[in-house]
Amino acid sequence: MKKTIYIVNGPNLNLLGTREPEIYGANTLSDVEMACDKRCKSRGYALSFFQSNIEGEMVDQIQKAGAKGAALLINAAAYTHTSVAIYDALKTLDIPVIEVHISQPAAREAFRQQSFVAPVSMGSISGFGTNSYLLAIDAAIDSLL
């Protein structure tokens, strides 16, 4: 059985901790990665954690997750609302995919309420700050049991 949880993060998430902390909180992406690594290890899984501002690099990681991973968590950030390329890549996977958001897109601007990720995900976890990642890890691993 594949034992790695892949987490792919999209544009501007490298600015966590400084970008709009009233929306995204004070944790940095490094803080999120450390918390996710700890949670994965506590559940017997390894973590592959990735962030890019470049759509094609995200697609490459999605494809890698499909080949090598047990599950994929994706916070596509702004690409959630615009990327057919990410939708198409996710559609090819036969592993659990969970959409993750720190904020609650449904409570934000109208354009953020359209998701190209949700239709090809088993579920979405949003609005719980960076704890959304930990909840998604648990959901992904529980779905594999």
Side-chain angles (χ1 to χ4, degrees), residues 125-145:
I125 299 177
S126 63
F128 295 97
T130 55
N131 284 330
S132 293
Y133 286 88
L134 303 179
L135 295 167
I137 289 168
D138 287 338
I141 292 172
D142 290 349
S143 78
L144 296 167
L145 301 177

Side-chain angles (χ1 to χ4, degrees), residues 1-17:
M1 177 181 188
K2 298 175 190 173
K3 296 292 276 186
T4 302
I5 303 297
Y6 278 73
I7 299 179
V8 174
N9 294 282
N12 298 311
L13 287 166
N14 56 304
L15 300 176
L16 281 180

Side-chain angles (χ1 to χ4, degrees), residues 32-144:
V32 174
E33 181 177 7
M34 287 189 300
C36 289
D37 187 55
K38 183 178 177 181
R39 179 62 58 92
C40 284
K41 284 179 179 171
S42 77
R43 302 273 324 251
Y45 284 78
L47 174 68
S48 175
F49 196 89
F50 178 82
Q51 187 277 326
S52 181
N53 294 320
I54 301 170
E55 183 179 32
E57 290 179 358
M58 292 177 63
V59 169
D60 289 342
Q61 284 296 308
I62 291 165
Q63 292 173 356
K64 185 176 176 183
K68 298 181 178 182
L72 170 69
L73 281 54
I74 181 164
N75 183 344
Y79 289 139
T80 300
H81 321 292
T82 63
S83 181
V84 174
I86 288 173
Y87 167 86
D88 285 345
L90 292 171
K91 195 172 168 184
T92 69
L93 301 184
D94 63 357
I95 60 174
V97 175
I98 298 178
E99 178 182 29
V100 178
H101 295 287
I102 295 167
S103 68
Q104 174 54 286
R108 298 187 62 199
E109 303 93 339
F111 70 86
R112 294 190 195 276
Q113 295 173 24
Q114 165 67 40
S115 173
F116 283 89
V117 175
V120 287
S121 298
M122 68 182 297
S124 301
I125 299 177
S126 63
F128 295 97
T130 55
N131 284 330
S132 293
Y133 286 88
L134 303 179
L135 295 167
I137 289 168
D138 287 338
I141 292 172
D142 290 349
S143 78
L144 296 167

